[in-house]
Amino acid sequence: MKRPASLFLRIAALSVAMLCIFSVGCKWHEPVPAQETPPASSAPASAAPTAVPLTIVSAATASPTAVPTPDPTAVSTPLPPLSGFVIGIDPGHQRIYDPSPEPIAPGSSETKQRVAGGARGVRTRVYEYEVNLAVGLLLCQQLEAAGATVHMTRTTQDVNISNKERAEFFNEHEVDLGIRLHCNRSNDAKRSGAYILIPAEHRTDRYDENLAAATCVITRYCAVTGLKMASKEGIATRGDQTGFNWCTRPTFCIEMGYLSNVEEDALLADPDFQVVMAQGLYEGILAYFCPEAAESVSATE
């Protein structure tokens, strides 16, 4: 049987079409030999960007460095009120009595004994040098806690330091204030109260400083202890004291009370009242160097 010519034509056309599709597909998937990989420089400038080598960095490097946030508490914490100040404390007298003479002032032919014996409690029999040192040590602790640098002429009873040497001690340490601690005595058993001595104006170049410091201290000392001022305004001047005349730094001497008075003798010998005495001195010194801090202390009482 003969097939129609049209059938043969359809088969032939289909074969040609299949051949074309096969040929195109084989060309698209033709593998490229390994040795024929084109060099990197053969790519035109308009080709895809050259790959950048991958650099591995740590998380700390990859992200911005964190800036620590300031601690507002640390920044705003104030320095202690007496920070930077140098204060000298001279607890008057000592166990060793030394009557040998020394000049009362530079270039002076007048002399006084190196160290006098000091007073003694009329009833308690406590020695003045004991009270002076006890209060001095307590005051030292408070001043250091407030940031001051403190130098004491003595911290024990068994020393032999003359009044001239005590004054020179203040000079050597360049104190901003030198405090001499003493107790008083009188033949009049009724005499009582506290007061401060400062160098006479002709004996010092620091009269105004001495007066200002003494005013602050005697005011607070009497207010805190309840002792009265034993003289007008609680301040007197002296030109004959060796401990003043050899001192070139601001200084004063407080007579903290009378050991010859029965009531004050009992107070001065009492360890609890010695704490109160030291507190009064501390507040006075604070009032001189840092009035604002002193007001805060007074407000809490």
Side-chain angles (χ1 to χ4, degrees), residues 82 87 139 143 177 179 217 281-289:
L82 295 179
I87 299 175
L139 177 60
L143 293 173
L177 183 62
I179 303 159
V217 172
L281 293 169
Y282 166 71
E283 290 188 20
I285 295 165
L286 196 61
Y288 174 62
F289 286 114

Side-chain angles (χ1 to χ4, degrees), residues 6-284:
S6 60
L7 179 61
F8 287 104
L9 291 174
R10 290 177 182 177
I11 294 172
L14 182 60
S15 299
V16 171
M18 295 294 293
L19 180 61
C20 290
I21 293 171
F22 178 75
S23 298
V24 173
C26 289
K27 185 176 181 180
W28 183 263
H29 294 287
E30 182 180 358
V32 179
Q35 65 272 18
E36 294 180 4
T37 302
S41 60
S42 64
S46 59
T50 304
V52 178
L54 179 62
T55 301
I56 299 176
V57 295
S58 66
T61 305
S63 59
T65 303
V67 178
T69 303
D71 182 354
T73 302
V75 171
S76 61
T77 300
L79 291 173
L82 295 179
S83 179
F85 291 107
V86 180
I87 299 175
I89 300 176
D90 175 30
H93 303 286
Q94 59 201 21
R95 180 174 286 133
I96 299 172
Y97 167 58
D98 187 349
S100 57
E102 65 179 1
I104 68 165
S108 175
S109 59
E110 185 180 352
T111 63
K112 277 190 172 183
Q113 54 190 10
R114 283 170 48 87
V115 186
R120 192 174 186 184
V122 65
R123 287 276 182 85
T124 66
R125 308 308 292 162
V126 66
Y127 286 100
E128 179 187 351
Y129 60 76
E130 295 175 321
V131 177
N132 298 339
L133 182 58
V135 175
L137 291 172
L138 290 168
L139 177 60
C140 177
Q141 292 175 2
Q142 289 183 282
L143 293 173
E144 288 181 335
T149 298
V150 183
H151 298 287
M152 295 188 65
T153 58
R154 68 182 182 94
T155 56
T156 65
Q157 310 292 7
D158 295 317
V159 297
N160 189 1
I161 310 170
S162 76
N163 291 315
K164 173 178 176 289
E165 291 167 344
R166 293 166 192 252
E168 291 174 333
F169 179 89
F170 287 165
N171 299 342
E172 291 165 5
H173 288 88
E174 297 183 339
V175 300
D176 295 304
L177 183 62
I179 303 159
R180 302 172 59 204
L181 303 179
H182 284 255
C183 298
N184 217 337
R185 66 181 171 189
S186 172
N187 292 330
D188 181 357
K190 295 181 179 180
R191 290 284 300 272
S192 64
Y195 66 98
I196 287 181
L197 299 170
I198 61 174
E201 196 165 359
H202 70 282
R203 288 292 194 183
T204 178
D205 295 327
R206 299 180 180 272
Y207 181 80
D208 291 339
E209 293 173 76
N210 296 336
L211 180 60
T215 300
C216 289
V217 172
I218 194 61
T219 301
R220 288 307 302 157
Y221 179 79
C222 289
V224 172
T225 62
L227 298 177
K228 71 176 186 179
M229 293 185 186
S231 65
K232 184 179 179 181
E233 299 178 353
I235 299 172
T237 61
R238 291 284 292 271
D240 61 340
Q241 289 202 342
T242 309
F244 281 160
N245 299 338
W246 286 90
C247 185
T248 60
R249 307 300 298 175
T251 188
F252 65 76
C253 173
I254 182 167
E255 297 286 355
M256 298 182 288
Y258 279 82
L259 286 171
S260 52
N261 179 281
V262 173
E263 289 77 15
E264 286 189 1
D265 172 29
L267 289 173
L268 297 175
D270 183 357
D272 291 336
F273 191 74
Q274 290 169 359
V275 173
V276 177
M277 294 162 68
Q279 179 67 27
L281 293 169
Y282 166 71
E283 290 188 20

